[in-house]
Amino acid sequence: MEIISNIIKAAIEVGSRIKTHDSPIEAQQETLKELLNKAEDTAFGKYYGFELLLKEKDFAKKFTEEVPYHDYDDMEFWWKKSLEGKEDICWPGKVRHFAVSSGTTGHSKHIPVTDDMLESIRNAGIRQVLSLSNFKDLPESFFKKQILMLGSSTNLDKIDGHLEGEISGISASNIPNWFRNFYKPGEEISSIDDWDDRVEAIAKEAKNWDIGTISGIPSWIELMLQRVIEYHNVDSIHDIWPNLTVYTSGGVALDPYKKSFEKLFSKPVQYIDTYLASEGYLATQTRPDTDAMQLLCDNGVYFEFVPFEEDSVLESGKINPEKKAVGISKVEEGKEYILLISTVSGAWRYMIGDTIKFTDVSKTEIKITGRTKFFLNVVGSQLSVNKMDDAIESLNENFSLNIKEFTVAAVKENEEYIHHWYLGLDEVKDSLDEEAIREHLDEHLKNSNKNYKVARDKALKDVKVSLISADKFLEWNDTNKHKGGQVKMAKVMKEDAFREWQEFVEE
């Protein structure tokens, strides 16, 4: 069946009706104007005077002056009213879907997913399909193959008149009709609640499918591929799906998993990265000669960028209100920013929690560099995940390791603070020199971060490294997993959560 050929034909037909702009600056101005227009009669819009904002010549500037930065706690004041079934709170109408976060700390977050946001996600998916034509090395036969999308269960929870689940399950349960009969594992299997049962059902049916593309979070995909290979007693996934050519990832860093995937593949596979968050589909890789992703500037999301500097985030975790955000017209390549979004789901100047940098301003291409929460500064080390990732990459190169997961916390030992790292390896060998790895990690961070170096000379008394199997991280996720999905391990933990993790590891 010429599945993707049919999809592309349908996507082109639908895509031709999607408004696009030559200029991302123009697109963003129009997007903000449309957001304010549509939401001016909501409770949020009335509170912040959207009607008056729109009368200003420079309404974008006025928007930044009148509407403060919001994090989840700020928006929850409004969103909980939508969760109770009230209409016209932050976006017109009643919210029928809520994406439940799968974090490992704090209470579960409920992010509104409006009908307009579902349309935005569908449009983003269409654009991703259309961009496949830019990948010239894809064989012609690829466009006749099926797509396997692996996310959380599409059997959403019905609670007080609304549906809730993880964003991957919500988006899969609302796929376009023209795509519904084409994708795998299909509605029946994708609605299985239990993750292990769903993977087992996929393994049983795998030989009946002709998969050209797989899509999902790397840790989920790796486990699924391993089970399919094991179930059919073959050497590689290409023995089952010989035409598998593309893997679209998202949600977490892909690079640490590539070595593991290469052991499961026997043919080259094109990796394509995407940026689908609970708050929206924000960016996607559109060309093969980069692993950066292009922001979708005309798809119901208005972007702002706060320079990520030492004083950008307060001790409370909120953005320093003295730090001014810039729009798409004033960003600089290579500079790190805290990402803010205003969306068709009624998020307003919302700190999504990610930091990004632009690799190509003219193409609005970005890379995710870390999380604002994953910022270790208990003793003034000012250590970002971006710096941590660089250090892990250096360890992989210098010690021929494959560190797939890590977590770190500032903890007290003998009344003094240390950084304790757990590094999850594909294989923990007796020959590994743990002390040499510890010294290299410490020196790399000293050389790349002056604040860390100062901290190591003062309040941060030592660094400890524990090498463990990456499977421990998967087991931890499994014990904390939500309905049909898997949680993401925090790269930086608070001390109390870290102690729980230690007890789990040492059991």
Side-chain angles (χ1 to χ4, degrees):
M1 187 185 299
E2 297 187 0
I3 302 274
I4 295 183
S5 293
N6 293 336
I7 291 173
I8 288 180
K9 288 175 184 176
I12 290 172
E13 180 181 346
V14 176
S16 66
R17 301 196 296 269
I18 299 174
K19 180 166 51 181
T20 58
H21 300 76
D22 293 332
S23 165
I25 298 172
E26 172 193 333
Q28 282 286 273
Q29 281 287 106
E30 187 166 331
T31 295
L32 178 58
K33 189 173 185 178
E34 290 175 350
L35 289 171
L36 294 173
N37 264 315
K38 192 154 187 180
E40 67 179 352
D41 291 327
T42 63
F44 191 96
K46 289 178 180 178
Y47 185 85
Y48 286 106
F50 283 6
E51 183 179 2
L52 293 176
L53 294 183
L54 286 164
K55 293 179 180 179
E56 297 286 336
K57 183 176 181 180
D58 192 348
F59 62 87
K61 181 174 182 294
K62 194 66 174 176
F63 174 66
T64 65
E65 293 172 352
E66 297 298 325
V67 182
Y69 300 139
H70 290 82
D71 61 9
Y72 179 79
D73 290 338
D74 300 320
M75 288 306 309
E76 187 182 28
F77 170 81
W78 300 90
W79 287 345
K80 68 181 180 182
K81 301 179 191 303
S82 296
L83 195 62
E84 292 166 359
K86 294 182 173 64
E87 298 184 7
D88 302 330
I89 302 301
C90 292
W91 196 250
K94 184 176 180 178
V95 180
R96 298 187 301 116
H97 296 86
F98 285 85
V100 182
S101 70
S102 55
T104 57
T105 61
H107 63 284
S108 293
K109 298 177 180 179
H110 287 75
I111 310 294
V113 182
T114 63
D115 292 346
D116 286 328
M117 178 54 74
L118 289 173
E119 182 180 358
S120 172
I121 292 172
R122 286 192 289 267
N123 289 344
I126 290 170
R127 293 186 187 188
Q128 184 189 1
V129 170
L130 292 174
S131 72
L132 291 174
S133 62
N134 296 329
F135 294 79
K136 304 299 184 183
D137 292 337
L138 295 178
E140 186 175 347
S141 61
F142 166 78
F143 296 97
K144 302 177 182 179
K145 308 307 173 186
Q146 298 165 326
I147 299 176
L148 173 60
M149 296 168 55
L150 185 62
S152 58
S153 173
T154 58
N155 185 23
L156 307 177
D157 290 324
K158 298 178 181 178
I159 300 176
D160 297 333
H162 68 266
L163 299 171
E164 60 182 54
E166 294 183 33
I167 189 62
S168 58
I170 293 173
S171 57
S173 65
N174 287 274
I175 57 176
N177 288 331
W178 53 265
F179 183 65
R180 191 170 297 277
N181 294 325
F182 300 153
Y183 95 104
K184 298 299 177 184
E187 292 183 59
E188 183 177 347
I189 293 178
S190 67
S191 66
I192 296 174
D193 285 343
D194 184 83
W195 165 262
D196 296 320
D197 290 345
R198 184 150 25 99
V199 169
E200 194 68 14
I202 289 171
K204 290 178 181 178
E205 291 295 322
K207 66 180 184 301
N208 299 320
W209 303 335
D210 190 4
I211 302 298
T213 301
I214 52 176
S215 176
I217 291 175
S219 58
W220 302 9
I221 295 297
E222 182 183 10
L223 288 172
M224 181 271 294
L225 294 178
Q226 288 173 343
R227 179 55 188 144
V228 172
I229 290 170
E230 176 186 292
Y231 185 91
H232 294 280
N233 193 27
V234 294
D235 295 326
S236 101
I237 196 62
H238 282 106
D239 293 325
I240 301 296
W241 299 325
N243 296 302
L244 176 60
T245 310
V246 169
Y247 168 40
T248 64
S249 178
V252 296
L254 176 60
D255 284 345
Y257 285 87
K258 286 184 178 178
K259 288 184 180 179
S260 298
F261 281 133
E262 287 168 5
K263 295 177 182 178
L264 305 176
F265 299 152
S266 58
K267 296 180 181 180
V269 170
Q270 172 70 56
Y271 298 102
I272 298 177
D273 215 351
T274 64
Y275 190 0
L276 172 60
S278 296
E279 295 83 358
Y281 199 148
L282 307 181
T284 188
Q285 182 183 343
T286 60
R287 56 194 181 98
D289 47 346
T290 180
D291 57 358
M293 298 173 289
Q294 185 178 61
L295 285 175
L296 301 174
C297 291
D298 54 358
N299 193 38
V301 180
Y302 180 71
F303 300 101
E304 295 177 81
F305 312 91
V306 179
F308 189 37
E309 297 163 350
E310 290 183 8
D311 58 346
S312 296
V313 180
L314 303 176
E315 288 291 331
S316 63
K318 296 180 182 293
I319 298 176
N320 184 346
E322 299 300 317
K323 306 296 289 187
K324 302 304 180 185
V326 298
I328 198 75
S329 64
K330 295 183 179 179
V331 294
E332 302 174 26
E333 283 183 16
K335 190 170 183 177
E336 201 166 9
Y337 295 96
I338 300 168
L339 183 62
L340 299 178
I341 58 173
S342 299
T343 77
V344 292
S345 266
W348 297 103
R349 306 201 77 203
Y350 180 75
M351 181 176 67
I352 195 171
D354 291 328
T355 58
I356 61 98
K357 69 177 178 181
F358 282 83
T359 58
D360 190 321
V361 170
S362 65
K363 292 183 172 66
T364 63
E365 288 180 339
I366 65 162
K367 285 188 176 182
I368 301 171
T369 57
R371 296 280 292 172
T372 54
K373 286 184 178 179
F374 297 166
F375 190 70
L376 195 53
N377 193 31
V378 173
V379 289
S381 58
Q382 293 282 345
L383 195 57
S384 70
V385 163
N386 193 24
K387 294 295 185 185
M388 297 178 196
D389 286 338
D390 289 344
I392 295 299
E393 185 176 345
S394 180
L395 288 176
N396 283 334
E397 291 176 356
N398 284 273
F399 293 88
S400 298
L401 302 175
N402 184 22
I403 302 170
K404 294 166 62 176
E405 302 281 358
F406 73 85
T407 192
V408 59
V411 296
K412 272 191 174 181
E413 288 194 1
N414 301 319
E415 298 304 313
E416 293 183 325
Y417 274 107
I418 70 166
H419 280 181
H420 190 164
W421 294 72
Y422 278 89
L423 307 181
L425 309 180
D426 241 358
E427 184 179 1
V428 182
K429 301 177 182 177
D430 293 336
S431 59
L432 291 175
D433 188 337
E434 197 169 274
E435 178 59 22
I437 291 172
R438 187 201 71 82
E439 290 180 0
H440 183 93
L441 175 67
D442 193 28
E443 287 302 313
H444 181 95
L445 292 173
K446 286 179 183 177
N447 293 332
S448 64
N449 187 325
K450 63 181 181 180
N451 293 301
Y452 177 85
K453 188 176 187 302
V454 171
R456 284 290 285 117
D457 291 335
K458 294 181 179 179
L460 184 59
K461 295 303 181 182
D462 201 1
V463 174
K464 184 176 181 179
V465 169
S466 298
L467 306 179
I468 63 173
S469 169
D471 289 342
K472 272 293 179 184
F473 288 82
L474 295 175
E475 290 172 18
W476 172 262
N477 287 350
D478 191 57
T479 62
N480 293 280
K481 69 184 177 183
H482 290 238
K483 182 178 179 180
Q486 297 201 354
V487 300
K488 301 173 188 176
M489 182 76 172
K491 290 188 175 182
V492 176
M493 285 190 180
K494 293 183 178 179
E495 186 167 4
D496 53 351
F498 189 79
R499 296 302 187 192
E500 291 181 17
W501 159 252
Q502 279 185 305
E503 290 178 10
F504 175 82
V505 171
E506 294 169 5
E507 283 179 355

